Amino acid sequence: MNDKNEEKVVTNQSKNNKRRRFRPKNKPKQEGETTEQASLASKSVIDNFFAAEQAENEAHTEPKSQNPRPKKPRNNKNQNKNGENNKPKEQKQESQETKTKTQEQKDKPKKAKKPKKNLPAKLNGNEQWQQDIASAMVANKAVHELRLEPMKYLNSSEHKIRITPLGGLGEIGGNMTIFETETSAIIVDIGMSFPSESMHGVDILIPDFDYVRKIKDKIKGVIITHAHEDHIGAVPYFYKEFKFPIYATPLPLGMINNKFEEHGLKQERSLFRSVEKRKPYLIGDFEVEWIHITHSIIDASALAITTKAGTIIHTGDFKIDHTPIDGYPTDLGRLAYYGERGVLCLMSDSTNSYREGFTKSESSVGKTFDAIFSKAKGRVIMSTFSSNIHRVYQAIEWGLKYNRKVCVIGRSMERNLYTAMELGYIKLDKKIFIDANEVGKFKDNEVLIVTTGSQGETMSALYRMATDEHKYIKIKPTDQIIISSKAIPGNESSISTVLNFLIKSGASVAYQDFSEIHVSGHAAQEEQKLMLRLIKPKFFLPVHGEYNHIAKHKETAISCGVDERNIYLMSDGDQMEICQKYLKRLKTVKTGKVFIDNQINKQISDDVVIDRQNLAEAGVVMIIAQISRHGAKLINKPRVISYGLVGNKQDAEFSKEMQEILTQFLSNVKEELLKDGRLLESQVRQVIRKHIFRKVKKYPTIVPIIYLM
């Protein structure tokens, strides 16, 4: 019976036995227990094990019904009037209750039998070894946090540094950044970029140096990371105006020397300061160390810039190549050293932020060269960036393997290769080289031509060969041409033009037919992650790339544990203030691009470029008229000449319409206008401009020439 029935029996006891308490000396065992033991004995060993466990659980969950203590005797309903108990009936009643309980237990749904878990001893407790484990867990967690964020608990705002990019953001190229304290400043890289097709007559773009002029008294030097054009291309134009020491490793200084010779700046070489890697140099308030990294050019460096505010790591352009041509991989140990010390801010290359995995090694290009050279039956003409010395070196090595003489064509290619050989970065016998005028003396299968023009530059050697304008080299149908590069954004059209000329000549062209005909010099996502994990910066500024590139790099940084609040996506001109406590944008300084004509190595005025664009887009109208001052009469009918507005067939009719309008206007011109020639020309422009816009929806350049007789 259940507990309710038991309570019912107790309430029905007689008053005479209410105070009586006794325990029988020899109470028999409960039938329920006897039944359970009997059933356990009849089962297998395994069943007995789980049944015992179940019985133990039921003993805990139902203590009242399974209470092993003997119960007190209670009076039943059949009690006599004299107060005597009917003992046989009582025993019968008790037996009936026990049977009912057993039946109820059988009717209950059986609980799922849980296997006994073989659990180890608890690790939490008061024993000494358990306390040691708990303290080690806390200590290791603190170590991990400090290891991953060495500057987490440093929040001083006493010392500050300002970072101002003047180029290299929102574009590929033109890299230039200023680091500034209250008393001194340094400039990192002064690069160039390529113009768009609408910038007629413009060869290169350089940063606007307006902000440099404002703080020139604070500037203590120029720092160069590597010798690519997008990092040193604007240096000669900068040094035509400013005179600061220039710090760099030997190869960048050697290539800058070549530029200074071309621009007549030989006397400025006294400002050269050669540096050693892994050695800090004190420049103003900055301690600068060059750290070796791998890139698509020899002798590239990252920078560790240490100030009172903290250390800033500037990667420059980089990739992590474990098998470089010269055998000098990225100095990961030195980067990790600064990471362990604590880095305030990381500025990292974002060019290949969308590329997953790792960038292939430069050495992988050699296999492609081998495959092409082995099949080539005529001349091999290889074009790449003039600064990619290791690429040129590999092509020459495979050319020598197939018994070919080497002809280097292109002024920049010749100078850079000679500089690398002179400094000892590559070792080649000068006897293997021949001049362009000697190519005809050898069989076609004995010649390798290495040249510039991989970006389709109209003045390059490859372009002149393709258009039959080169003095010594003409493209033959048997030639094998290799363009070992990829298009810089904006150069796709010019490269396509060169390809069309080369294919029309019948030559075989290998451009993107092989996956490893060109490998990038920039880090892919996994290399970016490695850099972020090594440096572990508190703040992060992605640089070198278009906005979508730096935005993608931000996502990578967040996945590597950098707080999103500590990342800022800069644009050119954004001046950032940084200290241990915060990173914020202070203001925006003036930036822009200056147009350069390489034919004269001089700047082109902005208004000149704008005029060229207007002429190309809207055309030009010239007006010639003669007016008598006395009487305000036209001496002859005005003459109108237009270019770029209408076709030749419509030009006569269109000019006649404008002549009639001018005749009507000038015949009724006010005498006041005849006294001011400029005001009269302005009025003529307005009249003609309105008519042209109604007819052709254009605003051409209007040039009025009015003679007052």
Side-chain angles (χ1 to χ4, degrees), residues 563-577:
D563 192 339
E564 185 176 2
R565 296 171 297 179
N566 292 347
I567 305 173
Y568 189 88
L569 304 183
M570 297 187 296
S571 298
D572 286 341
D574 286 345
Q575 187 169 89
M576 309 301 299
E577 184 175 83

Side-chain angles (χ1 to χ4, degrees), residues 361-374:
S361 172
E362 178 66 32
S363 58
S364 64
V365 181
K367 299 177 182 178
T368 304
F369 284 163
D370 186 17
I372 296 174
F373 275 78
S374 63

Side-chain angles (χ1 to χ4, degrees), residues 502-513:
L502 293 171
I503 294 171
K504 283 181 180 179
S505 65
S508 298
V509 181
Y511 178 40
Q512 293 181 342
D513 309 74

Side-chain angles (χ1 to χ4, degrees), residues 556-617:
T556 303
I558 294 171
S559 69
C560 290
V562 182
D563 192 339
E564 185 176 2
R565 296 171 297 179
N566 292 347
I567 305 173
Y568 189 88
L569 304 183
M570 297 187 296
S571 298
D572 286 341
D574 286 345
Q575 187 169 89
M576 309 301 299
E577 184 175 83
I578 185 171
C579 63
Q580 294 179 359
K581 190 174 183 178
Y582 61 80
L583 169 70
K584 66 179 182 180
R585 186 176 67 87
L586 285 181
K587 62 180 181 180
T588 301
V589 305
K590 181 186 175 184
T591 58
K593 297 298 180 184
V594 176
F595 309 111
I596 301 295
D597 186 346
N598 268 349
Q599 301 302 310
I600 56 176
N601 286 329
K602 290 184 178 180
Q603 178 181 343
I604 306 172
S605 300
D606 294 359
D607 54 351
V608 173
V609 177
I610 293 170
D611 287 343
R612 291 175 180 176
Q613 290 175 341
N614 290 336
L615 289 170
E617 294 172 3

